[in-house]
Amino acid sequence: MNKKTRFYQSINFKIALVFALLLMITLEIVGVIFVRQLEQQNLSQFKSQIQLGTYVDNEISEQLGKSNVTSANKQIQQIVSDVNNTNITEIRVIDNKGTVRASSDLNEQSIVGQKTTDQAIKNVIYNSRSYQQVNYDQGNNNRYYISIIPLISTSGNTNTVVGALYVRANLESVYSNVNKITLIFFVAASFAIVVGLLLAIIISRAITRPIEEMKKQTMRIARGDYSGHVHVYGKDELGQLASAVNNLSVRVEEAQESTESEQRRLDSVLAHMTDGVIATDRRGRITIVNDMALDFLSADAEHTAGKSILDVLDIRTTYTLRELLENQDDIVLDFSTKTQDLILHASFALIQRESGFISGLVCVLHDVTEQQKIDQDRKQFVSNVSHELRTPLTSLKSYIEALTDGAWKDPKVAPQFLKVTQDETDRMIRMINDLLSLSRMDSGTAKLDLELINLNELFNHVLDRFDMILKTDDNPDKNYIIKREFTRRDLWVEVDTDKFQQVLDNLMNNAIKYSPDGGTITCRLLETHNHVILSVSDQGLGIPKKDLTHVFDRFYRVDKARSRAQGGTGLGLAISKEIISMHGGRIWVDSKEGKGSIFYISLPYEPLDEEDQWE
């Protein structure tokens, strides 16, 4: 755009060239007509000058009619010799028999008395018609005018051709004058062309100066510089065009500012959207993609731009671009990996002009991973609750039907059946209470009654209680030992005592429940990195590796038969996780199948100085 234009490519040169060509063509046409007219006029004048008088023709005709040839030839020779005309080169007289009777050219006297060989002379004598022609002599490079006229003798009422008069004249004087005048005209025309070319350049510069300024202004506008203005030299068409360019500059600047403002607003909206946005052209090639869409697709803008949306969304095998354009159905895309779950809801819309022409496609990607997970959890929850309630209700129904059928009369069977129905009823009540607790935690209505306690003493209190329970157990085949490994420093932590005891009770119950052969249950309490770590480890059945990530899910049981047999609801660890999360802590498990499990609890902890401890 900024490349400098050579002079011969400029409009100045083109205007001057066109003017010069028009002038030159005009002068050439005028010159051709002028020279042609000049040549014809000089030739006509020359012909009139070399024309012999009528008396000469009559005298020669009279001499040709005499019978004395010798005397007549002398007279004829005398007549042609007396003709004084410098333009005439030769005068030749031929009788009607074709014999040359006289010649004014002294060098051509040898042909006198001989038959002429000139066919033109014979035709004139035979046809009685004049003959005129311009010949070019290649020997001396001269042009000659030849005139042959018949000589007619009138005797009585009869006209008889007695011969022909041959006149040859040199035309070099005529063409010399024509060439001189032509040269003068050519020099004058050349001078006129040069002067006209200079005037054309000057005039074209005056015309193109506003055009050049308008070109520079439009180039500045193209670069985004709207500060300049074109000078208006007059009120003619160029002046009106300059005013229009100035107005255009203002309008373009306003439009550019509006466009940039809209673009910034659009970029801001796209950048801060929680949904991904992808725009394509009518061939499905991506033109716009925001950061959220790039995060969803794990891609970068450089490699995504220009690629087909079918390839980027990995739907080429199931959809075509025509299907997306004709049916803008919503699509659920699963980009989940082993390490991350990602489910996107893709909505499509057409980009159409007012004429209805489809110029592209817009795709909005919404992350529905959490929603899908909630829906799945809700379905799973309903299924689990239904299953968990159906089992005790089926058992209750069976025992109640048995009692109704007469088992209540049997003093041995009736108490056992009633005991089972009571146990199943208690189990359902515990399950419903656990579900209500989880529901309150999920809805945020559950509140913590925090108090600063000595965690060492609380943990010891819980373990002392389980020691008492294990000592009163009547089963001699199981031998449980609770081992304590506590830090010597008192750890003061703000917790809800009742809820935290519920968590510890659940962990201890599980350690005992899933150690059917007895063993050592090791309980640890230590401080590390502004956290308090509690752990409960057993030497029981352990948890398979595939189940470790699910043990804190609701209604999840590693050993479903043993858990139900011992009255478990499958909600204990889920409630424990929610309680620890409410305290700002974390709970996790480490286990090896057949070697036992270790459950860890981490709580935030800030050491207290002596004054705080005294208070």
Side-chain angles (χ1 to χ4, degrees):
M1 183 179 291
N2 295 327
K3 185 177 180 181
K4 187 175 181 181
T5 305
R6 294 186 175 92
F7 176 71
Y8 65 86
Q9 295 176 331
S10 65
I11 192 171
N12 292 333
F13 176 77
K14 292 177 181 178
I15 292 176
L17 180 62
V18 169
F19 185 81
L21 289 176
L22 289 174
L23 182 60
M24 184 171 63
I25 292 172
T26 302
L27 292 176
E28 286 292 330
I29 295 174
V30 172
V32 169
I33 296 174
F34 172 75
V35 171
R36 181 62 58 85
Q37 292 294 329
L38 179 64
E39 181 181 0
Q40 292 178 356
Q41 184 177 0
N42 286 348
L43 284 175
S44 298
Q45 186 178 1
F46 182 80
K47 291 177 182 179
S48 63
Q49 289 177 356
I50 64 172
Q51 188 174 2
L52 299 178
T54 306
Y55 70 94
V56 175
D57 295 342
N58 294 332
E59 289 181 1
I60 294 175
S61 298
E62 184 181 351
Q63 295 298 325
L64 288 176
K66 293 181 179 181
S67 58
N68 189 352
V69 176
T70 302
S71 176
N73 288 345
K74 288 181 179 181
Q75 290 297 323
I76 294 171
Q77 183 66 36
Q78 185 64 35
I79 293 171
V80 297
S81 297
D82 290 340
V83 175
N84 186 14
N85 193 326
T86 57
N87 292 322
I88 296 176
T89 305
E90 181 185 7
I91 299 174
R92 189 181 302 171
V93 179
I94 303 96
D95 59 15
N96 54 4
K97 297 179 181 180
T99 302
V100 178
R101 303 289 292 271
S103 174
S104 63
D105 189 358
L106 298 177
N107 297 324
E108 295 293 335
Q109 294 301 315
S110 58
I111 64 173
V112 175
Q114 297 183 5
K115 293 287 185 179
T116 182
T117 58
D118 194 335
Q119 186 64 37
I121 296 174
K122 295 179 180 179
N123 291 335
V124 169
I125 295 172
Y126 179 77
N127 295 322
S128 299
R129 292 181 181 178
S130 300
Y131 172 81
Q132 295 176 350
Q133 184 181 6
V134 176
N135 288 338
Y136 179 76
D137 190 350
Q138 295 182 352
N140 54 13
N141 296 326
N142 289 332
R143 294 182 183 86
Y144 292 95
Y145 172 73
I146 297 174
S147 175
I148 305 173
I149 60 174
L151 296 175
I152 299 173
S153 174
T154 302
S155 55
N157 295 326
T158 304
N159 294 328
T160 304
V161 177
V162 294
L165 182 63
Y166 173 90
V167 178
R168 187 177 67 165
N170 193 341
L171 291 173
E172 286 306 311
S173 60
V174 175
Y175 283 100
S176 176
N177 292 332
V178 173
N179 290 337
K180 290 179 181 178
I181 296 173
T182 303
L183 180 60
I184 294 172
F185 179 83
F186 176 76
V187 173
S190 300
F191 179 76
I193 291 174
V194 172
V195 173
L197 182 60
L198 294 176
L199 291 175
I201 293 175
I202 295 172
I203 296 172
S204 64
R205 284 187 181 275
I207 296 174
T208 58
R209 184 183 299 117
I211 299 176
E212 183 69 21
E213 292 183 4
M214 285 184 280
K215 184 194 79 171
K216 293 179 180 179
Q217 177 63 16
T218 54
M219 292 175 65
R220 285 195 294 267
I221 293 174
R223 292 194 299 268
D225 181 10
Y226 308 101
S227 59
H229 290 280
V230 180
H231 180 70
V232 179
Y233 290 95
K235 296 182 180 181
D236 55 0
E237 289 82 355
L238 289 176
Q240 295 174 5
L241 180 60
S243 299
V245 171
N246 291 332
N247 293 332
L248 176 65
S249 177
V250 175
R251 297 291 181 85
V252 170
E253 182 178 9
E254 294 174 352
Q256 183 68 19
E257 290 177 354
S258 176
T259 302
E260 291 177 354
S261 176
E262 292 295 329
Q263 185 65 37
R264 287 192 297 269
R265 187 180 296 111
L266 176 61
D267 292 341
S268 178
V269 170
L270 291 176
H272 293 87
M273 284 183 65
T274 57
D275 293 339
V277 178
I278 300 174
T280 73
D281 59 14
R282 61 190 181 92
R283 292 184 175 85
R285 293 191 295 262
I286 293 177
T287 56
I288 298 175
V289 57
N290 68 344
D291 294 338
M292 188 57 67
L294 294 175
D295 291 341
F296 287 156
L297 302 174
S298 299
D300 56 82
E302 181 179 354
H303 293 86
T304 303
K307 294 183 67 176
S308 173
I309 191 173
L310 300 177
D311 297 328
V312 173
L313 298 181
D314 196 19
I315 57 174
R316 183 174 288 278
T317 57
T318 54
Y319 293 92
T320 63
L321 184 61
R322 180 177 293 276
E323 291 175 344
L324 295 181
L325 293 174
E326 293 178 352
N327 304 310
Q328 294 84 47
D329 297 332
D330 295 345
I331 301 174
V332 177
L333 306 173
D334 190 354
F335 290 97
S336 301
T337 60
K338 294 181 179 180
T339 59
Q340 180 185 9
D341 292 334
L342 180 61
I343 300 175
L344 301 177
H345 180 271
S347 301
F348 296 90
L350 298 177
I351 303 175
Q352 286 183 303
R353 299 176 183 172
E354 293 182 358
S355 60
F357 178 78
I358 299 175
S359 58
L361 192 69
V362 172
C363 175
V364 179
L365 301 175
H366 180 63
D367 187 358
V368 294
T369 306
E370 192 65 27
Q371 181 180 349
Q372 291 282 339
K373 185 177 180 182
I374 291 173
D375 292 342
Q376 185 65 28
D377 290 345
R378 185 182 295 111
K379 293 177 183 178
Q380 186 68 28
F381 177 78
V382 173
S383 176
N384 289 334
V385 170
S386 301
H387 181 73
E388 293 295 335
L389 289 177
R390 183 173 62 249
T391 301
L393 287 174
T394 302
S395 178
L396 281 174
K397 180 181 178 183
S398 299
Y399 282 104
I400 291 173
E401 288 177 351
L403 289 171
T404 304
D405 292 339
W408 62 275
K409 298 178 181 180
D410 190 339
K412 294 183 179 180
V413 175
Q416 294 178 2
F417 283 10
L418 292 173
K419 175 96 170 40
V420 171
T421 57
Q422 183 179 2
D423 291 342
E424 292 296 337
T425 303
D426 292 340
R427 180 184 168 201
M428 286 190 292
I429 291 173
R430 287 195 304 273
M431 182 185 301
I432 291 172
N433 289 333
D434 289 343
L435 289 173
L436 289 174
S437 298
L438 280 173
S439 177
R440 285 192 293 268
M441 292 178 187
D442 291 340
S443 63
T445 58
K447 303 296 182 182
L448 294 178
D449 186 11
L450 297 176
E451 57 180 330
L452 189 64
I453 63 165
N454 189 325
L455 195 58
N456 307 58
E457 294 181 359
L458 178 63
F459 204 1
N460 276 318
H461 172 72
V462 173
L463 297 180
D464 290 342
R465 180 157 44 84
F466 275 94
D467 269 335
M468 183 65 67
I469 294 173
L470 292 174
K471 287 178 182 180
T472 58
D473 190 0
D474 296 334
N475 191 349
D477 297 333
K478 296 182 181 181
N479 183 22
Y480 293 98
I481 299 173
I482 298 177
K483 183 179 179 181
R484 312 182 192 198
E485 296 180 359
F486 290 5
T487 179
R488 295 181 179 180
R489 180 178 179 180
D490 291 338
L491 304 176
W492 293 82
V493 182
E494 276 191 330
V495 295
D496 185 323
T497 305
D498 292 339
K499 288 184 171 56
F500 196 71
Q501 283 189 21
Q502 182 180 353
V503 174
L504 295 178
D505 288 344
N506 184 62
L507 294 181
M508 291 301 298
N509 280 323
N510 286 342
I512 295 171
K513 186 188 304 182
Y514 292 102
S515 299
D517 299 328
T520 301
I521 299 174
T522 304
C523 301
R524 298 182 177 86
L525 177 61
L526 54 94
E527 170 196 0
T528 174
H529 300 299
N530 295 328
H531 284 82
V532 173
I533 305 296
L534 294 87
S535 67
V536 177
S537 63
D538 60 60
Q539 298 175 340
L541 301 175
I543 303 172
K545 187 176 182 180
K546 63 183 180 64
D547 297 320
L548 284 176
T549 57
H550 300 287
V551 292
F552 295 100
D553 295 346
R554 299 173 186 184
F555 296 109
Y556 190 85
R557 297 183 177 91
V558 178
D559 189 347
K560 296 179 175 57
R562 178 180 296 274
S563 178
R564 287 197 181 95
Q566 296 184 359
T569 62
L571 298 172
L573 288 177
I575 293 174
S576 299
K577 181 180 179 181
E578 294 294 336
I579 292 174
I580 297 301
S581 298
M582 291 172 66
H583 283 82
R586 190 168 66 94
I587 184 171
W588 70 96
V589 63
D590 185 14
S591 178
K592 290 185 179 180
E593 190 174 6
K595 295 184 179 181
S597 304
I598 305 175
F599 283 84
Y600 296 93
I601 297 175
S602 173
L603 295 174
Y605 168 68
E606 293 182 5
L608 301 177
D609 53 25
E610 294 182 359
E611 294 181 0
D612 294 334
Q613 291 184 13
W614 180 256
E615 292 177 0

